[in-house]
Amino acid sequence: MKRLVILGGGYGGLRIIERVLTPDLPDNVFVTLVDRMPFHGLKTEYYALAAGTEPEQAIRVAFPSDPRLTIKYGEVTGVDLDERIVRFTNGDTLPYDWLVLALGCEDRYHDIPGADQYTHSIQTLGATRNTYAAINNVGPYGTVTIVGGGLSGVEVASELRESRPDLNIRIIDRGESILSPFPKKLQTYASQWFIEHDVQLVSMACVNRVEPGVVYNHNQPLETDAVVWTAGIQANRIVRELPIEVDNIGRAVLNKYHQLPSHPNVYVVGDCASLPFAPSAQLAEVQGEQIAMLLKKDFKGEEYPASLPPFKLKGVLGSLGKKEGFGVMGKVSLVGQMPRVMKSGVLWMYKKHLG
């Protein structure tokens, strides 16, 4: 009996499962998915749950149902790479022959005092539920501050503006403009959207600390009723604590086959993998395709190809509320209704396909 264990039922982990559970899966290979939740959460849509514009049911997708797949629910505390064992909070252990680390990311607080204690997150479904409660418990004319003007921060702020027109909303960002990794056309369009919708933009910020009801920017206090943190990510703690080489945000450094160089029976996919691209669901799925192909060769004892094809990413789409959006497809920048419709279409196709 050979055991493939996949830690994490996110975009990368599910793509691997989908591609591995094919008719040619050897009878002696058993696949186990480990996750803390009994369903796949659409993390790219957590911003809408936090803002109160989508119910939780809309961002849940059932895990695959297959007699060859075992699903174990639990919280992982660590992995023993040499003993080939996964450990859980309740004391259980799970042995493996091949392991896929698909544990996703966590907020990165940059050692800012109070940031981890007094801000709200959208990195997990549980955290997003709490963020929804905190934001929607803010009374009329209250203030919500979003720290970080990247894709997540922009989507939270715009969705919240449509959900709660009574609130004062501000985005604090350290760059000259929100959406700094995107083309200037998109930065300008999104900034103008926020100006027209009465969202305060604070640029060139330096958040020094966070206290209850206060965010300090360059040591100047900004009073607020709730703070949402979207100012950076790092790899999951389980990966950061492994005795392996990691990059500056704790992601595992891999060989050309997406494996730990010291333990080639361990693959890493998604936000835990050190790759020359910005983390995204699309990237995790493309990487998952390649890992699934390599695992199938592992199962059959076949040789790997001399090299893997380069990643082909289709682009990035973001929303500005329910009616407008922005995106980059190749070298083309898109703004307005079209990218928002495209984003909704991609989500519908993804849910339909998994369902």
Side-chain angles (χ1 to χ4, degrees), residues 109 112-120 209-210 229:
Y109 296 105
I112 296 171
D116 60 338
Q117 296 174 277
Y118 305 118
T119 69
H120 301 280
R209 68 184 187 276
V210 183
W229 191 267

Side-chain angles (χ1 to χ4, degrees), residues 119-323:
T119 69
H120 301 280
S121 171
I122 59 169
Q123 289 302 330
T124 68
L125 186 55
T128 305
R129 291 187 188 116
N130 294 333
T131 300
Y132 163 78
I135 289 176
N136 286 280
N137 282 333
V138 175
Y141 312 116
T143 299
V144 175
T145 300
I146 292 112
V147 180
L151 179 60
S152 295
V154 162
E155 291 189 317
V156 169
S158 58
E159 203 83 1
L160 183 58
R161 169 47 75 222
E162 292 193 351
S163 171
R164 293 287 304 274
D166 58 289
L167 292 177
N168 298 301
I169 302 171
R170 71 164 67 97
I171 301 176
I172 299 178
D173 191 73
R174 64 181 179 178
E176 294 182 2
S177 170
I178 56 173
L179 298 176
S180 57
F182 287 82
K184 189 68 176 179
K185 176 181 177 180
L186 272 61
Q187 296 177 28
T188 302
Y189 184 85
S191 296
Q192 187 60 38
W193 190 96
F194 283 120
I195 292 170
E196 292 174 357
H197 289 80
D198 196 27
V199 173
Q200 181 186 8
L201 300 178
V202 181
S203 60
M204 303 302 293
C206 178
V207 175
N208 303 107
R209 68 184 187 276
V210 183
E211 296 177 355
V214 186
V215 175
Y216 288 86
N217 176 31
H218 294 285
N219 291 317
Q220 298 300 310
L222 298 175
E223 294 186 359
T224 187
D225 294 283
V227 183
V228 181
W229 191 267
T230 61
I233 60 172
Q234 60 186 341
N236 185 281
R237 174 186 59 82
I238 301 300
V239 173
R240 300 201 314 271
E241 293 178 354
L242 289 174
I244 60 173
E245 183 183 0
V246 298
D247 64 15
N248 65 323
I249 57 172
R251 300 179 301 180
V253 175
L254 308 175
N255 65 19
K256 65 179 181 179
Y257 297 115
H258 312 300
Q259 301 163 327
L260 297 181
S262 59
H263 296 81
N265 65 319
V266 179
Y267 295 86
V268 185
V269 65
D271 297 346
C272 291
S274 184
L275 299 171
F277 302 94
S280 68
Q282 180 185 179
L283 176 62
E285 290 186 323
V286 172
Q287 189 191 9
E289 296 269 359
Q290 295 189 356
I291 291 175
M293 180 271 291
L294 296 169
L295 281 167
K296 286 189 169 185
K297 292 189 176 297
D298 287 339
F299 300 158
K300 299 175 182 178
E302 297 177 354
E303 293 290 325
Y304 291 168
S307 61
L308 297 176
F311 291 154
K312 294 182 179 180
L313 303 179
K314 297 177 181 179
V316 180
L317 295 169
S319 67
L320 289 170
K322 297 300 186 188
K323 297 181 179 179

Side-chain angles (χ1 to χ4, degrees), residues 49 291 343:
L49 174 61
I291 291 175
K343 186 176 189 294

Side-chain angles (χ1 to χ4, degrees), residues 104-118:
C105 61
E106 300 173 355
D107 287 303
R108 187 183 184 197
Y109 296 105
H110 311 282
D111 297 321
I112 296 171
D116 60 338
Q117 296 174 277
Y118 305 118

